[in-house]
Amino acid sequence: MTRKLFLLSFLCSLIAMFSTQLAMAYISNWKAEQDKMFEQIKLNPGDVIDGKNWEKVADLLPESIVGYVKKGEFVLKIGEFKYNYSEDEAWDKATEKNRGKYSLGERKEIIDNATGKFPKYIYGRAFPDLDRDDPDLGIKIMHNKTVKQGRAGNMYQECATIFIGEGGLERSIYSKVDFEWYWARPDGELPNPNNYKFTDITRLAEPYDLAGTVILTLRPLDGTPDRSGTYVPALRRVRRTSGTTRSDPFFGSDIVMDDSGGWHGQNETMNWKVLGEKVVLVPKAYWQAESPDKLVKQPNGGWKGRPAPGTHQYGCQDPNWKGAPWAQLHQVWIPRKVYLIEGNPLDPYYNYGRQLFYVDKESFMPVYKITSNRAGDHWKTLMIDQFAQWWGDDNKMTIDQQGCFLVIDDKNHHATASPVRGVWKDWDFPFVIMDPNITPANFSFERIATRSK
């Protein structure tokens, strides 16, 4: 009898522990948790941090950004979330069903334990239980991030790539991007004969000299390098490219393809290590702090973002601004709990060396990336403004996507911004998920030239 009671008590404690772990994603008492973080960092919404009181944020930001504030290049306006910025309960319930279902293969790719093969469809986080002593903790966190992005299904977005130098705005590129995600689609599993995690196509629309250029990426499930190619209108042919080109500059900018969203590379191409956890301040567009992006159901079945309520503004656009020309003036800074994760490329020809990621513990999305060159010297600071989208029944389904990111080349004192949601100049970037106009047939080397028009 005593033994039975002991076993029952032990099982109950395990259930309580697992429930606590799952609750780290969806947080019902989010306001109280946010207040605790403000108390911990001794700041309040409305505070302004500049070169006179920069010491207040010395331990709350990456070292390079602390330097910007200290020199007066950045001024931080402290803000807060007015809503529960965390994963939804439905996603957590799906995650619970995945406990013990997946492991890692030889390349650190995700393996379905029931079949011994890589899964063609995952819904919910692949790794619900994250053990601090697990040597594979880093890649499991990054796999959870990759899986979650698939909740957008077929996704269409437009974005700008804005070059900003010490003299101000230099040029901009306007792009249109299609995604076909295979993992975590809310409409269920798609036929996937080619075994892809996702496919995407980037089409350049402006300026004139680049218009019609198309970039295709096919991301394999087994962890091997991407299959990719570029169609150049002037040559009228498709040029196959290798996975190493993902660390090359994007048409002369400070951004590389793997920078998108903080990290858009193949997880299995990096060696990951978790260095710790902490509370940091993260940038958010002020309108994203006020409310999530509530998508609207379209007649064709897709879900489209409403017109953005705010405008991206950079220092060089304000004649009274005295700081860095690329400082984002439309943002507030909010405390969040993050993982600190180091990533080192396995490919000796990858242009970046060590990369330090700050990954939000609730959304699993990167909020900062600090990169070094191959010699180990600090090179770039990447700031990612992720935003939450609510859609579906009762607005209870949440995905996180990039609202804007800013890459600052600290060696050359130059920056590139890429707004995705919000208004910049006369562009209000459309955003659609579960877009029925996007189909798997569009993503192939044979059809890439047809997307140039």
Side-chain angles (χ1 to χ4, degrees), residues 1 4 10-11 24 75 110 151 226 285 298 364 375 385:
M1 182 66 178
K4 289 182 178 179
F10 177 70
L11 289 172
M24 289 179 65
V75 174
I110 300 177
R151 299 188 83 186
D226 294 343
Q298 303 299 297
F364 288 88
D385 182 350

Side-chain angles (χ1 to χ4, degrees), residues 81 85 282-286 288-289 330-332 334 385-387:
F81 278 117
Y85 182 79
V282 304
K284 296 286 178 184
Y286 69 84
Q288 293 164 11
H330 57 277
Q331 292 181 325
V332 295
I334 302 173
D385 182 350
Q386 308 286 4
F387 69 101

